[in-house]
Amino acid sequence: MYVQHLMGLSGLLAAGLFIFGLKRMSSPVTALSGIVVAGVGMVAAVAASFLVVFDLMHAGNDRLGVNVALALVALAVGAGWAWWKGGKVAMTAMPQMVALYNGMGGGAAASIAAVALSGDAGGSPLILGVTVIGALIGSVSLTGSVIAWAKLDGKINHPWRFGGQRIVNGVIFAATALLGVGVVIFHGVPSGLSLAILFFFGALVFGVMMTLPIGGADMPVVISLYNAFTGLAVGLEGFALQNPALMIAGMVVGSAGTLLTALMAKAMNRSLSNVLFSNFGDLSGAGAADVKGEMKSADASDAAINMRYASSVIIIPGYGLAVAQAQQKLYEFVKLLQAAGVDVKFAIHPVAGRMPGHMNVLLAEAGVPYDIIFDMDDINADFVNTDVALVIGANDVVNPSARTDKSSPIYGMPILNADQAHQVYVIKRGQGKGYSGVENTLFYRQNCSMVYGDAQAVLTQMVQSVKDLGA
Amino acid sequence: MIIDSSMTWLIALYIFMLAAFTGYEVISRVPSILHTPLMSGSNFIHGIVVVGALHALLTATGLFGQVVGFLGVALGAANAAGGYVVTDRMLAMFKTSDRKGG
């Protein structure tokens, strides 16, 4: 009995520390301590779960010794692998790593359900129903996250689409849901077990089918959604196990993840159903209005010297910067400008990088202090009074058509007002379009010049030109 | 069962409701510069699923329970450990101009 109280209290402690930790993550100053606090809660909860052994010893389970050994091995293998992998993954690959870890959590929730459903211990239909729903969500999160990981990691390069796909997916989902109902009704009957196997198979297949047609650019939203899914699955399995810590942690993540997903979809000017059910990226050329004027190109050193003698510069980095591995070089350039007395700021669009906040992480890795990095809403009014806006590896997020051209697919998407700066330089590999396939009218403006080339090479040249001036 | 008296569905709904509001409130105040570490931080928190998987494995009475339970614990442990280490790595990089090094 004492054992159960101790385990219950450790769960309470863990849930409290999780929420407190999450709260501390709301500011960059305390964020690091936030994850440590939550980590302490996790260790306490995991250690306390072994206390159940004392209860089971009295009950006399002859597999107990083996189970404890298995548990220790599984913990070491899972945690060891993830710790090693997570310690060396590149910051650019962070979104797919999070997807993979998230899928594993979904898989763990589905495993709990599988064990519960395989036993003949009869639960109430309510418990069984919740277990089955959690199993469905967890399984979808598992295979869906693996597909998302494969897409972001470049293992699957093209969305897989065919006619009537939505109908096929609908049928798979309906069949899986029906099997789930069957699992609840026929629990404990021998034939119920084969229903359960079919049910899990259907749920896993549905996760794959649901994710395959979604384009790579939408994957961040999808990962965030699956993160919320796993949270929900964990919360539901927590109810099935009568464990409040799992219920609270799972549901907190479920709702936080849903909010985060909605914020991301909003920043991309898409609704969630639009991301999941419409095949974005197929409408290439649609609404591409004819653009007047022509693009001007500028020399990297001319641009650099202009910025050196400007009084204010705002830099707009996009994922192209990270692809070129040029963050370090960029910060070197920024430090030169700062030494020359130029006021330099970074402007981050909500969807810069591959998920919200990803660009901040990439800049932080290069050593850029976060107090010169600004969100779109905080800096958009400053462009009018800024001498130079430098756009690197970003495209759609500075396209003024989003404000005015109703026929444009990105119409209505909030953008950074780079076009309002006195002078705009765009570092770009070639004349290609952004992922939306829309022509960028900014590039044709009077005050805009293109600096063509690989970001790393261009920035190296810029650094050299400023140094050559002899500060 | 982990707690000594089983909870009613109504109490469960209360817990779910309060937890959902808590998650919403805590996250809605986080600045967007922290959204990526936050997503991985919340990913870490649902790694608590490993506790449920441990319960399933430790109380297993058959081979199926042992095999699937083992899988569940390994996956859950990877979720928790991986989520922790990547979140910690990302957050450790955020610095201000004033604080040198560190």
Side-chain angles (χ1 to χ4, degrees), chain A residues 320-407:
Chain A
L321 174 73
V323 172
Q325 294 288 320
Q327 305 97 298
Q328 302 277 359
K329 212 65 196 171
L330 174 61
Y331 187 43
E332 192 183 337
F333 181 58
V334 167
K335 280 190 284 196
L336 281 174
L337 292 181
Q338 285 177 327
V342 184
D343 176 30
V344 186
K345 291 175 190 161
F346 284 83
I348 309 281
H349 190 272
V351 294
R354 281 188 149 176
M355 54 189 192
H358 191 200
M359 188 51 65
N360 303 82
V361 172
L362 295 171
L363 290 176
E365 188 189 22
V368 181
Y370 62 78
D371 47 8
I372 63 167
I373 302 176
F374 294 88
D375 286 344
M376 181 173 70
D377 294 339
D378 297 330
I379 202 165
N380 248 351
D382 294 356
F383 280 102
V384 194
N385 305 316
T386 298
D387 293 334
V388 179
L390 176 63
V391 180
I392 308 173
N395 192 341
D396 293 332
V397 299
V398 290
N399 190 344
S401 319
R403 279 198 296 256
T404 51
D405 181 3
K406 285 194 176 139
S407 65

Side-chain angles (χ1 to χ4, degrees), chain A residues 4 25-26 35 63 67 82 86-87 89 102 105 118 227 239 242-243 251 255-256 355-358 360 369-371 375, chain B residues 2 6-7 12 16 20 24 31-34 36 39 42-43 46 57-58 60-61 66 78-79 84 89 95-97:
Chain A
Q4 288 181 341
M25 281 192 220
S26 66
I35 184 72
R63 290 179 188 255
N67 287 353
V89 62
N102 176 57
S118 73
N227 190 37
F239 174 67
Q242 300 275 299
N243 184 327
M251 196 52 75
S255 85
M355 54 189 192
H358 191 200
N360 303 82
Y370 62 78
D371 47 8
D375 286 344
Chain B
I2 285 178
S6 74
M7 73 186 89
F16 279 147
Y24 187 93
S32 63
I33 72 157
L34 286 172
T36 292
M39 183 148 107
S42 60
N43 178 45
H46 66 53
L57 173 56
L58 291 172
T61 51
Q66 286 180 317
N79 180 181
Y84 184 89
R89 270 184 67 198
K95 296 184 192 78
T96 62
S97 310

Side-chain angles (χ1 to χ4, degrees), chain A residues 124-151:
Chain A
S124 69
L126 173 69
I127 298 262
L128 284 173
V130 170
T131 308
V132 165
I133 295 172
L136 173 62
I137 300 172
S139 305
V140 168
S141 178
L142 167 63
T143 50
S145 296
V146 169
I147 298 293
W149 164 78
K151 286 195 176 214

Side-chain angles (χ1 to χ4, degrees), chain A residues 10-318:
Chain A
S10 76
L12 181 71
L13 178 75
L17 290 177
F18 287 163
I19 294 170
F20 182 61
L22 258 188
K23 179 136 181 53
R24 288 188 73 83
M25 281 192 220
S26 66
S27 150
V29 182
T30 56
L32 190 57
S33 69
I35 184 72
V36 175
V37 164
V40 170
M42 186 70 76
V43 171
V46 169
S49 355
F50 280 92
L51 291 173
V52 75
V53 170
F54 293 104
D55 260 12
L56 294 171
M57 276 193 316
H58 299 295
N61 178 347
D62 54 354
R63 290 179 188 255
L64 190 56
V66 181
N67 287 353
V68 171
L70 282 175
L72 291 172
V73 172
L75 278 178
V77 169
W81 173 82
W83 197 272
W84 167 75
K85 193 85 184 159
K88 70 182 182 81
V89 62
M91 285 297 153
T92 41
M94 211 45 99
Q96 52 264 49
M97 203 66 232
V98 173
L100 201 55
Y101 292 145
N102 176 57
M104 293 177 144
S111 314
I112 295 173
V115 174
L117 294 173
S118 73
D120 12 81
S124 69
L126 173 69
I127 298 262
L128 284 173
V130 170
T131 308
V132 165
I133 295 172
L136 173 62
I137 300 172
S139 305
V140 168
S141 178
L142 167 63
T143 50
S145 296
V146 169
I147 298 293
W149 164 78
K151 286 195 176 214
L152 283 177
D153 217 41
K155 298 202 165 38
I156 301 176
N157 287 317
H158 297 288
W160 184 60
R161 294 165 183 157
F162 55 86
Q165 191 162 23
R166 244 182 282 177
I167 298 166
V168 171
N169 286 0
V171 169
I172 296 175
F173 181 77
T176 307
L178 268 178
L179 284 165
V181 173
V183 169
V184 175
I185 295 173
F186 296 104
H187 180 70
V189 184
S191 62
L193 214 54
S194 45
L195 275 183
I197 293 168
L198 281 174
F199 161 74
F200 275 103
F201 183 72
L204 293 169
V205 168
F206 180 70
V208 173
M209 296 296 286
M210 179 178 159
T211 321
L212 274 177
I214 304 173
D218 283 334
M219 275 307 131
V221 180
V222 174
I223 293 173
S224 175
L225 181 72
Y226 288 148
N227 190 37
F229 270 22
T230 303
L232 201 59
V234 171
L236 293 174
E237 296 309 330
F239 174 67
L241 293 170
Q242 300 275 299
N243 184 327
L246 262 71
M247 293 170 67
I248 293 170
M251 196 52 75
V252 164
V253 175
S255 85
T258 307
L259 175 63
L260 209 54
T261 310
L263 287 175
M264 284 191 206
K266 195 171 152 230
M268 296 169 78
N269 194 35
R270 318 267 310 275
S271 72
L272 192 53
S273 67
N274 194 260
V275 169
L276 295 177
F277 303 119
S278 90
N279 300 338
F280 195 64
D282 277 0
L283 24 88
S284 53
D290 286 336
V291 194
K292 292 192 186 73
E294 55 185 282
M295 297 193 201
K296 295 182 294 297
S297 73
D299 195 52
S301 51
D302 288 349
I305 290 164
N306 259 341
M307 282 186 267
R308 158 70 179 75
Y309 290 105
S311 65
S312 55
V313 172
I314 297 181
I315 298 171
I316 299 160

